């Protein structure tokens, strides 16, 4: 049955805030009881300041948070909850989580889709199947069949139903903020903000690694470190980077042909598009060389070494952790 994310959010907010109200009331009641026991009524404060209540409180926007909550690290916003939902969705895309079972699914080194299927209650009827090759491309348009935005749309469809898909995507994009259609806003979030939020959530020890060609957004892709295998970079290079470069060359060729017969009013826009694509192509060429150097080494990783040690092995092609 189709479900609205908005309804789920409102139910979560109501439950969370009721818990906050109850905890504050309990703490103030304890303060009152102890003040009476020790004969200190009127001498010690009974009321607990909002910023010291140590459970979550949800507000729709940051602007709604009262001054009395400033400094309370448990305060959440609608955007925070949507970012958590997106993080969970990415986990499902990689097989770390599943819509069919609770808890972690793939969390051991080098696991595959076969390992995932083996943990499902019905391997023939899986609600949302993870990505097969552990590579989720993030580009500024939908160039790949396993494009991360497309995969997120399919996750929302699988989790909440087809009938409410567009309304749910709108709710997600409104919470994230930004201009454009819901899919454009969600794409911009993956391109510019997802990895930063992920690093903050995991205290600068990301488990989803961002391969990043540079500031021109020529090519980006997420991989899940627990499913890493030594041939991953070779597959990234041949199946994704090379394919993206060919797309850029094709698009550049088409635009150059169009420009020859285009009116002057159209040429300025074509020139802008050409420059962007040419910059992205150049960026991916340098990136491809760096990836090739590392791919030829067939680098092994050991999860016991931790994120910091393993991430450093690929620092020439991965996004900076901030």
């Amino acid at each position: 049955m189709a479900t609205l994310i908005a309804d789920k959010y409102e139910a979560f907010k109501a439950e969370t805030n009721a818990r906050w109200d109850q905890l504050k009331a309990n703490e103030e009641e304890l303060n009152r009881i102890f003040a009476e026991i020790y004969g200190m009524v009127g001498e010690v404060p009974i009321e607990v300041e909002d910023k010291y209540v140590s459970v979550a409180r949800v507000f729709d926007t940051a602007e709604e948070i009262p001054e009395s909550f400033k400094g309370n690290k448990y305060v959440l916003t609608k955007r925070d909850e949507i970012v958590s939902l997106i993080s969970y969705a990415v986990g499902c895309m990689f097989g770390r989580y599943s819509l069919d079972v609770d808890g972690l699914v793939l969390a051991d080194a080098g696991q595959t889709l076969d390992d995932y299927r083996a943990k499902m209650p019905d391997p023939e009827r899986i609600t949302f199947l993870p990505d097969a090759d552990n590579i989720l491309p993030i580009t500024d348009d939908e160039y790949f069949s396993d494009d991360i935005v497309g995969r997120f749309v399919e996750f929302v469809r699988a989790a909440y139903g087809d009938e409410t898909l567009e309304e749910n995507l709108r709710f997600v994009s409104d919470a994230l903020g930004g201009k454009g259609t819901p899919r454009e806003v969600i794409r911009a979030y993956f391109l510019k903000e997802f990895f930063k939020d992920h690093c903050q959530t995991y205290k600068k020890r990301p488990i989803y690694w961002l391969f990043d060609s540079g500031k021109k957004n020529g090519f980006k892709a997420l991989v899940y470190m627990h499913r890493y295998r030594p041939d991953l970079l070779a597959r990234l290079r041949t199946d994704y980077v090379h394919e993206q470069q060919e797309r850029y060359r094709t698009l550049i060729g088409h635009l150059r042909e169009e420009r020859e017969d285009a009116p002057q009013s159209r040429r300025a826009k074509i020139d802008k598009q050409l420059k962007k694509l040419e910059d992205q192509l150049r960026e991916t060429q340098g990136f491809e060389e760096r990836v090739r150097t590392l791919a030829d080494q067939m680098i092994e990783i050991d999860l016991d070494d931790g994120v910091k040690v393993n991430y450093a092995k690929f620092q020439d092609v991965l996004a900076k952790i901030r």
Side-chain angles (χ1 to χ4, degrees), residues 199-253:
C199 288
Q200 290 178 353
T201 299
Y202 281 80
K203 312 299 183 187
K204 296 188 177 183
R205 297 294 186 270
I207 58 171
Y208 309 135
W209 293 357
L210 180 63
F211 285 84
D212 186 0
S213 65
K215 295 180 179 180
K216 302 298 182 182
N217 293 327
F219 181 82
K220 298 179 191 288
L222 285 176
V223 306
Y224 177 32
M225 68 172 288
H226 290 253
R227 287 180 61 191
Y228 172 86
R229 291 188 166 196
D231 67 343
L232 185 142
L233 272 77
R235 289 186 285 107
L236 179 84
R237 176 174 173 252
T238 57
D239 296 348
Y240 292 91
V241 180
H242 283 176
E243 189 171 336
Q244 186 66 8
Q245 288 173 327
E246 284 305 308
R247 284 197 184 93
Y248 286 145
R249 293 187 184 102
T250 300
L251 290 169
I252 289 168

